[in-house]
Amino acid sequence: MSRCRILIVDDEAVALRVLRVGLERGGYQVDSAANGQQALAAILEAPPDALITDIEMPMMSGEELCARLQKEVPERQFPIFVATSLTGLEHRDWSRQISNLHFLEKPLSVRKLLAVLNEFFARGSRTDKSQSA
Amino acid sequence: MGRRTVRINFSNLWQKEGLGLTMIGASVIVIALTAYLLLSFQRTERVDQLRGQGASIARILADVPFADLRSRRQDHGPLRMLQLGQDATLFAYAMVVDQGGKVLNGVNSSGIDLDRIPVDSPLGSWSGERAFRLDTLNRDVMEFYAPVVDAEDLVGAVRIGYFVPALGFSAGQLPLIATMALIIFTLTPLFYFIVRRETRQIHVVNEEIASRINSGSFNACTVEATGDLRDFVQRFNRFSDLARSRIDQLSKVNSDLLASQKLLGYKKTRIESVLTAIPEALLILAEDGRVSFANERVRSLLDVEPADIINRVPSEWCRDEEALEFLRCFETASTSRYFADTVHLTKPSAEKKKLTIKAYPLFAPQDPDTIFGRLIVVRDVTKESLVDEGRKNFVAHVCHELKTPLNTLSLYAEALLGDQGSDDAFRTEAYNVINDEVERLASLIDNMLNISKIEMGNIKVEKQRVRLADLLRDAYTHATSSGEAKNLKLTLDVPAELSPVAVDKELLRIAINNLLTNAIKYTPAGGQICLAASETDVAIEIRVSDTGIGIGPEDKDRIFEKFYRATGAEVQKVRGHGLGLALVREIVELHHGQISVNSDHGKGSTFLISLWKDSALLKQAI
C-alpha cells in the first residue's frame, strides 16, 4: 500500500518544517504550502489524502480555502484538519457549511496528530475492506 | 420796550370759573328777559288804555253837533281841543268825514296826510275799531270811529287814530330797570358764593380722588367733609379698601399663576432640550399608533422630518421595511404587550447603519394596567457593533499571535523529547528556534503591554529635555549587532548637536528601536539602513530609511493599524505580529508629533518622525 499523502498549509516555516519531519517519520508523505492560494492550486492539481491547514494566513486564509474547496471540489473525499488558536466554537458559523472538517487546537502535537491521522486512515481502510467484502 | 401780549386761555378760564361765568350769563339773560316782560306788559297796558280812551272819545265827539264838528276854527274847535289834550307821542289824527269818506275837518300830528288815511268803505253806521299800518310812517295805527247824526240823519263819522305804542323803554323806565338789574346782580354773586362754598368740598374730594387715580394709589381719602359728602367719602374709602384687597388677592393669584407658568415653561423647555439632546431618536406613539412626539434625531436615524410624522401612523411614513414591520404592530389598539420589545436592523442605505429599536409601554399614572401609548427609542449602534467586532478580532489576533510561537515551541519540545532529540543538528536548530520564538513572544507581550497602557491612559509620559543625538546614537549602536548579523550596512547621520526637545526618553527609544528592527527584518542581506536626524525651524525630523522590500500602495494606509501586516509574500516570510508600527504611532502621538512613511515598493521605505519644537507647539496652542 502506498503511503498516504498529507498536505500541510502554514505560513510559519519553522512549524511547517517540524510537522513535516514528524509526519514523515510517522510514515506519511508530506507536501506543504505557505498559504491557502498555494494549497488550492496543489489540491486542484493532485488531491491529497488529508489536508492540515492553519487559519490565519496571508493571501488566502484557511477559512477561505475550505470554502473554495467546498465550492470548487464538491466531490472531495479527503478530510480537512484545521489547526486553530481558538476553539471550534468560534468557527461554528462558517464551518457548518463544510463537510468532513475537523478542528485541531493549537499548540499542535506531532504525536497526537499522528494518532488522529492513523486512527482516521485505519477507520477508512476498515470501511473500504467492509465495502469491498 | 416790547409790547406785552396778554393771552387769555379761555379753556382754563372756563374750567376754573365755569360756574361763575354761567351765573353771570344767566343773570344777564334773566335781567333781559325781565325787562322785556316788563316793557311788554307796559305796552299791553297802554294799548288797552288807548282802546278804552279812543272808543270813549269817538262816541263823545259823535254827540257834538255836526256843525261844530265841521267848523274849522283853529283855536278852540272840538277836534283841536281834543288834540291838545292827547299824548302827542301816540295821537295820530282826529277827523270828521262825510258819508262818502271825504274829510270835512281834522287835526293830525306831523307827517300825516289826512286825505291819505285809508278808509273802509262804506263806514259802518255803528261805532267801531280797526287797525292798519301806515306805510308812510311805517307805524301801526288803531282807529276808533263813531257815526255822526244830525237831525236824525246819518251825515258822517268821527275817526280818531292813535299810534300803537312800540316795544321799548324810555328814559323814565331806566331807574326801574336799573333797580331790578342791581337786585339781580347783587343776588347772583351771593348765590354764587353760597354754591361755591357748598361745592368746594366736592371739588377738594374730586381732586383728591383724581390724584389717587393718577398715582394708582388706594390710600384712604383724608378730606374733612360734612353732611352727605362725609358719608360719600367714608363709603368711597370703604369701596377703595375693598377694591385694594380684591386687587391684592388677584395680584397674588396672578403672580402665583405667572410663577407656575414660568416654572412649567422652564420644565417643558428643559424636558424638550433633554429629549432633543439625547443621542437616541425618540417617538411617542399614542394608543392608535399615531406619533404624538418625535425629537430631532428621528431625521438622521429614520430619514423623516419630525414635524411631518406628527399625528400619522408608522405605515404612513416609515420607509424602512424592518422598522415598519416592528412599529406596525402598535397601530392596533388590541396590542397589549406589557413588556419592552427590541428589534435590531441594518439600514439598507450606503452607510449600513445598525440600529436597535426598543418599544416601552407607557402606563397610565393612575392605572398601571392601562397602556396609553408607547415610547419608541431608536439607537444607532453602528459604533458599538464595530467596537464589538474589533474586540472580537483583537482577541482572535492576540490568541493567534500568542499561540503561533507556542505552537512552534511545543512542536520542537515534543520533537526534542522524541527520537529527534538525539540528533545534534536538530538539537541546535531547535535551540535556535526556541530562542527566536521566546524573543518573539517577549517582544509581542512587551509591545502589547505598552500599547495597552498607552491606550488605557495608564502610562505616564515623563517628558524631559534630552540630547536627542545621544539617544539616537544609542539606538543605532543597539541595532548594529542585529544588522551586521544579517549582513546589512547601517549608517548614522545625526548632527552632533540638535536642539534639545522634551520627550519621554524610554518611549522614544522604543519607537526608534521598533523602526530599526522593522528595517532590519524587511531588508534583504546586503541592503542598507540609515538612521538620520535633521532640524528645521519648527521641528526635529528623525528618518529611518532602508533599501528593503518596501510597502505596497494598498498597505500604506493601514500599516500603523494594530495587528495589520502587509499581504505581500515577502512580508509574510518574515515573522511579525503587526504591533510594532502601531506602538510607534501611539508613542509619536503621545508626543504630539507626526509619523509618515514614504515607500517605493520593492526598493525601500523611509519612516519620518517629526517632533515639534516647543516654540512651534506654543504657536499652535495660540
Side-chain angles (χ1 to χ4, degrees), chain B residues 14-61:
Chain B
W14 176 255
Q15 210 170 9
K16 286 182 180 174
E17 300 301 337
L19 179 63
L21 292 172
T22 306
M23 291 192 76
I24 289 170
S27 50
V28 169
I29 292 169
V30 166
I31 289 166
L33 198 63
T34 310
Y36 172 77
L37 288 174
L38 190 65
L39 292 173
S40 179
F41 176 73
Q42 280 184 339
R43 176 175 169 271
T44 309
E45 284 286 302
R46 188 73 182 130
V47 168
D48 289 346
Q49 189 188 347
L50 281 177
R51 187 167 282 134
Q53 184 183 335
S56 302
I57 291 174
R59 277 197 300 273
I60 290 168
L61 280 179

Short mmCIF file of all heavy atoms in Angstrom, two decimals, chain B residues 14-61:
data_model
loop_
_atom_site.label_atom_id
_atom_site.label_comp_id
_atom_site.label_asym_id
_atom_site.label_seq_id
_atom_site.Cartn_x
_atom_site.Cartn_y
_atom_site.Cartn_z
N TRP B 14 -62.66 128.80 31.62
CA TRP B 14 -63.98 128.15 31.68
C TRP B 14 -63.96 127.00 32.68
O TRP B 14 -64.90 126.81 33.44
CB TRP B 14 -64.36 127.66 30.28
CG TRP B 14 -65.66 126.90 30.29
CD1 TRP B 14 -65.82 125.57 30.18
CD2 TRP B 14 -66.96 127.45 30.46
NE1 TRP B 14 -67.13 125.23 30.26
CE2 TRP B 14 -67.87 126.39 30.44
CE3 TRP B 14 -67.45 128.75 30.64
CZ2 TRP B 14 -69.24 126.57 30.58
CZ3 TRP B 14 -68.83 128.92 30.77
CH2 TRP B 14 -69.70 127.84 30.75
N GLN B 15 -62.80 126.28 32.68
CA GLN B 15 -62.69 125.13 33.57
C GLN B 15 -62.75 125.59 35.04
O GLN B 15 -63.40 124.98 35.87
CB GLN B 15 -61.37 124.43 33.30
CG GLN B 15 -61.43 122.95 33.56
CD GLN B 15 -60.17 122.27 33.05
OE1 GLN B 15 -59.21 122.91 32.65
NE2 GLN B 15 -60.20 120.96 33.08
N LYS B 16 -62.01 126.69 35.28
CA LYS B 16 -61.92 127.14 36.68
C LYS B 16 -63.16 127.92 37.10
O LYS B 16 -63.65 127.76 38.20
CB LYS B 16 -60.68 128.03 36.85
CG LYS B 16 -59.38 127.24 36.85
CD LYS B 16 -58.21 128.18 37.06
CE LYS B 16 -56.91 127.40 37.05
NZ LYS B 16 -55.75 128.30 37.11
N GLU B 17 -63.62 128.80 36.23
CA GLU B 17 -64.69 129.73 36.63
C GLU B 17 -65.96 129.49 35.83
O GLU B 17 -66.73 130.41 35.58
CB GLU B 17 -64.20 131.18 36.43
CG GLU B 17 -62.97 131.55 37.22
CD GLU B 17 -63.15 131.40 38.72
OE1 GLU B 17 -64.32 131.44 39.19
OE2 GLU B 17 -62.14 131.21 39.43
N GLY B 18 -66.16 128.29 35.43
CA GLY B 18 -67.32 127.96 34.61
C GLY B 18 -68.62 128.31 35.29
O GLY B 18 -69.52 128.93 34.69
N LEU B 19 -68.69 127.97 36.56
CA LEU B 19 -69.94 128.21 37.29
C LEU B 19 -70.21 129.71 37.39
O LEU B 19 -71.33 130.17 37.13
CB LEU B 19 -69.82 127.59 38.69
CG LEU B 19 -71.04 127.77 39.58
CD1 LEU B 19 -72.26 127.08 38.96
CD2 LEU B 19 -70.78 127.25 40.98
N GLY B 20 -69.16 130.48 37.76
CA GLY B 20 -69.30 131.93 37.89
C GLY B 20 -69.74 132.55 36.58
O GLY B 20 -70.69 133.35 36.55
N LEU B 21 -69.08 132.15 35.50
CA LEU B 21 -69.42 132.72 34.19
C LEU B 21 -70.84 132.35 33.81
O LEU B 21 -71.59 133.18 33.27
CB LEU B 21 -68.43 132.20 33.13
CG LEU B 21 -67.00 132.72 33.28
CD1 LEU B 21 -66.07 131.99 32.30
CD2 LEU B 21 -66.94 134.22 33.02
N THR B 22 -71.20 131.11 34.10
CA THR B 22 -72.57 130.67 33.79
C THR B 22 -73.57 131.53 34.56
O THR B 22 -74.60 131.96 34.01
CB THR B 22 -72.75 129.19 34.16
OG1 THR B 22 -71.73 128.44 33.53
CG2 THR B 22 -74.10 128.66 33.73
N MET B 23 -73.25 131.76 35.81
CA MET B 23 -74.19 132.53 36.62
C MET B 23 -74.28 133.97 36.13
O MET B 23 -75.37 134.56 36.10
CB MET B 23 -73.77 132.48 38.08
CG MET B 23 -73.96 131.06 38.64
SD MET B 23 -73.84 130.96 40.39
CE MET B 23 -75.39 131.61 40.89
N ILE B 24 -73.15 134.55 35.70
CA ILE B 24 -73.19 135.93 35.16
C ILE B 24 -74.04 135.95 33.90
O ILE B 24 -74.94 136.79 33.74
CB ILE B 24 -71.76 136.43 34.86
CG1 ILE B 24 -71.03 136.68 36.17
CG2 ILE B 24 -71.78 137.69 34.02
CD1 ILE B 24 -69.56 136.93 36.03
N GLY B 25 -73.80 134.98 33.04
CA GLY B 25 -74.57 134.89 31.80
C GLY B 25 -76.05 134.72 32.10
O GLY B 25 -76.91 135.40 31.50
N ALA B 26 -76.33 133.84 33.07
CA ALA B 26 -77.73 133.56 33.41
C ALA B 26 -78.39 134.82 33.97
O ALA B 26 -79.54 135.15 33.63
CB ALA B 26 -77.80 132.43 34.42
N SER B 27 -77.65 135.56 34.79
CA SER B 27 -78.26 136.76 35.38
C SER B 27 -78.52 137.82 34.31
O SER B 27 -79.54 138.50 34.35
CB SER B 27 -77.40 137.29 36.53
OG SER B 27 -76.08 137.40 36.11
N VAL B 28 -77.61 137.94 33.33
CA VAL B 28 -77.83 138.89 32.23
C VAL B 28 -79.08 138.50 31.46
O VAL B 28 -79.94 139.34 31.16
CB VAL B 28 -76.60 138.93 31.30
CG1 VAL B 28 -76.92 139.69 30.01
CG2 VAL B 28 -75.42 139.59 32.01
N ILE B 29 -79.21 137.19 31.21
CA ILE B 29 -80.40 136.71 30.49
C ILE B 29 -81.65 136.99 31.30
O ILE B 29 -82.68 137.46 30.78
CB ILE B 29 -80.26 135.20 30.17
CG1 ILE B 29 -79.14 135.00 29.13
CG2 ILE B 29 -81.57 134.61 29.66
CD1 ILE B 29 -78.73 133.58 28.93
N VAL B 30 -81.60 136.75 32.60
CA VAL B 30 -82.77 136.97 33.46
C VAL B 30 -83.16 138.45 33.44
O VAL B 30 -84.34 138.81 33.32
CB VAL B 30 -82.46 136.48 34.89
CG1 VAL B 30 -83.51 136.99 35.87
CG2 VAL B 30 -82.41 134.96 34.92
N ILE B 31 -82.11 139.32 33.51
CA ILE B 31 -82.39 140.76 33.51
C ILE B 31 -83.05 141.15 32.19
O ILE B 31 -84.08 141.85 32.16
CB ILE B 31 -81.09 141.55 33.72
CG1 ILE B 31 -80.62 141.37 35.15
CG2 ILE B 31 -81.27 143.03 33.41
CD1 ILE B 31 -79.20 141.81 35.42
N ALA B 32 -82.47 140.65 31.09
CA ALA B 32 -83.01 140.99 29.77
C ALA B 32 -84.44 140.49 29.63
O ALA B 32 -85.33 141.22 29.17
CB ALA B 32 -82.13 140.38 28.69
N LEU B 33 -84.66 139.28 30.09
CA LEU B 33 -85.99 138.68 29.99
C LEU B 33 -87.01 139.45 30.83
O LEU B 33 -88.13 139.75 30.40
CB LEU B 33 -85.90 137.21 30.44
CG LEU B 33 -87.04 136.31 30.01
CD1 LEU B 33 -87.07 136.22 28.48
CD2 LEU B 33 -86.86 134.90 30.60
N THR B 34 -86.57 139.78 32.02
CA THR B 34 -87.47 140.50 32.93
C THR B 34 -87.83 141.88 32.34
O THR B 34 -88.99 142.31 32.35
CB THR B 34 -86.78 140.68 34.30
OG1 THR B 34 -86.30 139.42 34.72
CG2 THR B 34 -87.74 141.23 35.34
N ALA B 35 -86.78 142.56 31.81
CA ALA B 35 -87.02 143.88 31.21
C ALA B 35 -87.98 143.77 30.04
O ALA B 35 -88.91 144.58 29.90
CB ALA B 35 -85.67 144.46 30.75
N TYR B 36 -87.77 142.73 29.25
CA TYR B 36 -88.66 142.53 28.10
C TYR B 36 -90.09 142.31 28.54
O TYR B 36 -91.03 142.92 28.02
CB TYR B 36 -88.15 141.34 27.27
CG TYR B 36 -89.09 140.91 26.17
CD1 TYR B 36 -89.16 141.65 24.97
CD2 TYR B 36 -89.93 139.83 26.33
CE1 TYR B 36 -90.05 141.29 23.98
CE2 TYR B 36 -90.82 139.47 25.34
CZ TYR B 36 -90.86 140.19 24.15
OH TYR B 36 -91.75 139.83 23.17
N LEU B 37 -90.25 141.44 29.52
CA LEU B 37 -91.61 141.14 30.01
C LEU B 37 -92.27 142.40 30.58
O LEU B 37 -93.45 142.68 30.36
CB LEU B 37 -91.56 140.03 31.06
CG LEU B 37 -91.24 138.63 30.53
CD1 LEU B 37 -91.07 137.64 31.68
CD2 LEU B 37 -92.35 138.15 29.61
N LEU B 38 -91.45 143.15 31.30
CA LEU B 38 -91.97 144.37 31.92
C LEU B 38 -92.44 145.37 30.85
O LEU B 38 -93.57 145.89 30.91
CB LEU B 38 -90.86 145.00 32.77
CG LEU B 38 -91.25 146.14 33.69
CD1 LEU B 38 -92.22 145.62 34.77
CD2 LEU B 38 -90.02 146.74 34.35
N LEU B 39 -91.58 145.58 29.85
CA LEU B 39 -91.91 146.53 28.79
C LEU B 39 -93.10 146.03 27.98
O LEU B 39 -93.99 146.80 27.60
CB LEU B 39 -90.69 146.73 27.87
CG LEU B 39 -89.50 147.44 28.52
CD1 LEU B 39 -88.31 147.45 27.58
CD2 LEU B 39 -89.88 148.87 28.89
N SER B 40 -93.13 144.73 27.76
CA SER B 40 -94.23 144.15 27.02
C SER B 40 -95.56 144.34 27.77
O SER B 40 -96.59 144.67 27.19
CB SER B 40 -93.92 142.66 26.80
OG SER B 40 -94.96 142.06 26.12
N PHE B 41 -95.47 144.15 29.10
CA PHE B 41 -96.67 144.33 29.93
C PHE B 41 -97.14 145.79 29.88
O PHE B 41 -98.33 146.07 29.72
CB PHE B 41 -96.32 143.90 31.37
CG PHE B 41 -97.41 144.12 32.33
CD1 PHE B 41 -98.55 143.31 32.33
CD2 PHE B 41 -97.37 145.18 33.25
CE1 PHE B 41 -99.58 143.54 33.22
CE2 PHE B 41 -98.41 145.39 34.14
CZ PHE B 41 -99.52 144.56 34.13
N GLN B 42 -96.13 146.67 29.97
CA GLN B 42 -96.49 148.11 29.95
C GLN B 42 -97.15 148.48 28.62
O GLN B 42 -98.11 149.24 28.56
CB GLN B 42 -95.20 148.94 30.12
CG GLN B 42 -94.78 149.02 31.58
CD GLN B 42 -93.56 149.93 31.74
OE1 GLN B 42 -92.84 150.18 30.79
NE2 GLN B 42 -93.36 150.41 32.96
N ARG B 43 -96.65 147.93 27.50
CA ARG B 43 -97.20 148.23 26.18
C ARG B 43 -98.63 147.74 26.08
O ARG B 43 -99.53 148.45 25.62
CB ARG B 43 -96.33 147.56 25.11
CG ARG B 43 -96.82 147.71 23.69
CD ARG B 43 -95.80 147.12 22.73
NE ARG B 43 -96.34 147.01 21.39
CZ ARG B 43 -97.02 145.96 20.91
NH1 ARG B 43 -97.18 144.90 21.69
NH2 ARG B 43 -97.53 145.97 19.69
N THR B 44 -98.83 146.50 26.60
CA THR B 44 -100.18 145.93 26.56
C THR B 44 -101.16 146.80 27.36
O THR B 44 -102.29 147.10 26.94
CB THR B 44 -100.17 144.50 27.12
OG1 THR B 44 -99.14 143.77 26.47
CG2 THR B 44 -101.48 143.79 26.92
N GLU B 45 -100.67 147.24 28.52
CA GLU B 45 -101.49 148.11 29.38
C GLU B 45 -101.87 149.38 28.63
O GLU B 45 -103.02 149.82 28.63
CB GLU B 45 -100.67 148.47 30.64
CG GLU B 45 -100.57 147.34 31.64
CD GLU B 45 -101.90 147.15 32.38
OE1 GLU B 45 -102.39 148.09 33.03
OE2 GLU B 45 -102.46 146.01 32.28
N ARG B 46 -100.87 149.95 27.93
CA ARG B 46 -101.06 151.21 27.22
C ARG B 46 -102.05 151.04 26.05
O ARG B 46 -102.93 151.88 25.84
CB ARG B 46 -99.68 151.66 26.68
CG ARG B 46 -99.66 153.04 26.08
CD ARG B 46 -99.76 154.11 27.17
NE ARG B 46 -99.79 155.43 26.58
CZ ARG B 46 -100.70 156.39 26.86
NH1 ARG B 46 -101.68 156.13 27.72
NH2 ARG B 46 -100.63 157.59 26.31
N VAL B 47 -101.90 149.91 25.34
CA VAL B 47 -102.81 149.64 24.23
C VAL B 47 -104.25 149.53 24.73
O VAL B 47 -105.19 150.10 24.16
CB VAL B 47 -102.37 148.36 23.49
CG1 VAL B 47 -103.47 147.88 22.52
CG2 VAL B 47 -101.08 148.58 22.72
N ASP B 48 -104.41 148.80 25.86
CA ASP B 48 -105.76 148.63 26.43
C ASP B 48 -106.34 149.99 26.84
O ASP B 48 -107.54 150.29 26.63
CB ASP B 48 -105.71 147.72 27.64
CG ASP B 48 -105.45 146.27 27.22
OD1 ASP B 48 -105.59 145.95 25.99
OD2 ASP B 48 -105.07 145.43 28.09
N GLN B 49 -105.38 150.77 27.44
CA GLN B 49 -105.81 152.10 27.89
C GLN B 49 -106.25 152.96 26.69
O GLN B 49 -107.31 153.63 26.72
CB GLN B 49 -104.64 152.77 28.62
CG GLN B 49 -105.00 154.05 29.31
CD GLN B 49 -103.76 154.77 29.86
OE1 GLN B 49 -102.69 154.20 29.92
NE2 GLN B 49 -103.94 156.01 30.26
N LEU B 50 -105.46 152.93 25.58
CA LEU B 50 -105.79 153.70 24.38
C LEU B 50 -107.10 153.22 23.77
O LEU B 50 -107.91 154.03 23.28
CB LEU B 50 -104.66 153.54 23.34
CG LEU B 50 -103.41 154.38 23.56
CD1 LEU B 50 -102.38 154.04 22.50
CD2 LEU B 50 -103.73 155.88 23.49
N ARG B 51 -107.32 151.90 23.83
CA ARG B 51 -108.52 151.33 23.22
C ARG B 51 -109.77 151.87 23.93
O ARG B 51 -110.74 152.32 23.31
CB ARG B 51 -108.46 149.80 23.30
CG ARG B 51 -109.56 149.12 22.55
CD ARG B 51 -109.30 147.65 22.40
NE ARG B 51 -108.33 147.38 21.36
CZ ARG B 51 -107.30 146.55 21.45
NH1 ARG B 51 -107.08 145.88 22.57
NH2 ARG B 51 -106.49 146.39 20.44
N GLY B 52 -109.71 151.89 25.26
CA GLY B 52 -110.85 152.41 26.03
C GLY B 52 -111.03 153.91 25.78
O GLY B 52 -112.15 154.42 25.53
N GLN B 53 -109.84 154.56 25.84
CA GLN B 53 -109.86 156.02 25.68
C GLN B 53 -110.38 156.41 24.29
O GLN B 53 -111.26 157.30 24.14
CB GLN B 53 -108.42 156.54 25.87
CG GLN B 53 -108.29 158.04 25.84
CD GLN B 53 -106.81 158.46 25.97
OE1 GLN B 53 -106.02 157.74 26.53
NE2 GLN B 53 -106.50 159.64 25.48
N GLY B 54 -109.88 155.76 23.24
CA GLY B 54 -110.25 156.06 21.86
C GLY B 54 -111.74 155.86 21.61
O GLY B 54 -112.43 156.72 21.02
N ALA B 55 -112.30 154.74 22.09
CA ALA B 55 -113.71 154.42 21.86
C ALA B 55 -114.60 155.47 22.55
O ALA B 55 -115.61 155.96 21.98
CB ALA B 55 -114.00 153.01 22.39
N SER B 56 -114.17 155.84 23.77
CA SER B 56 -114.97 156.82 24.53
C SER B 56 -114.96 158.17 23.82
O SER B 56 -116.02 158.80 23.62
CB SER B 56 -114.37 156.99 25.93
OG SER B 56 -114.34 155.76 26.57
N ILE B 57 -113.77 158.61 23.43
CA ILE B 57 -113.66 159.92 22.80
C ILE B 57 -114.43 159.93 21.48
O ILE B 57 -115.14 160.91 21.17
CB ILE B 57 -112.17 160.28 22.60
CG1 ILE B 57 -111.52 160.53 23.94
CG2 ILE B 57 -112.01 161.50 21.68
CD1 ILE B 57 -110.03 160.76 23.92
N ALA B 58 -114.34 158.81 20.74
CA ALA B 58 -115.07 158.77 19.47
C ALA B 58 -116.58 158.92 19.71
O ALA B 58 -117.28 159.65 18.97
CB ALA B 58 -114.78 157.44 18.76
N ARG B 59 -117.11 158.26 20.72
CA ARG B 59 -118.54 158.37 21.00
C ARG B 59 -118.89 159.78 21.47
O ARG B 59 -119.92 160.35 21.12
CB ARG B 59 -118.94 157.33 22.06
CG ARG B 59 -119.19 155.96 21.44
CD ARG B 59 -119.96 155.07 22.41
NE ARG B 59 -119.25 154.85 23.65
CZ ARG B 59 -118.35 153.86 23.80
NH1 ARG B 59 -118.07 153.03 22.80
NH2 ARG B 59 -117.76 153.73 24.96
N ILE B 60 -118.00 160.38 22.33
CA ILE B 60 -118.27 161.74 22.84
C ILE B 60 -118.30 162.72 21.66
O ILE B 60 -119.21 163.55 21.54
CB ILE B 60 -117.19 162.13 23.87
CG1 ILE B 60 -117.37 161.30 25.14
CG2 ILE B 60 -117.24 163.63 24.19
CD1 ILE B 60 -116.19 161.39 26.11
N LEU B 61 -117.28 162.58 20.79
CA LEU B 61 -117.24 163.51 19.65
C LEU B 61 -118.46 163.33 18.74
O LEU B 61 -118.99 164.30 18.17
CB LEU B 61 -115.96 163.28 18.84
CG LEU B 61 -114.68 163.91 19.38
CD1 LEU B 61 -113.49 163.57 18.48
CD2 LEU B 61 -114.80 165.43 19.47
#
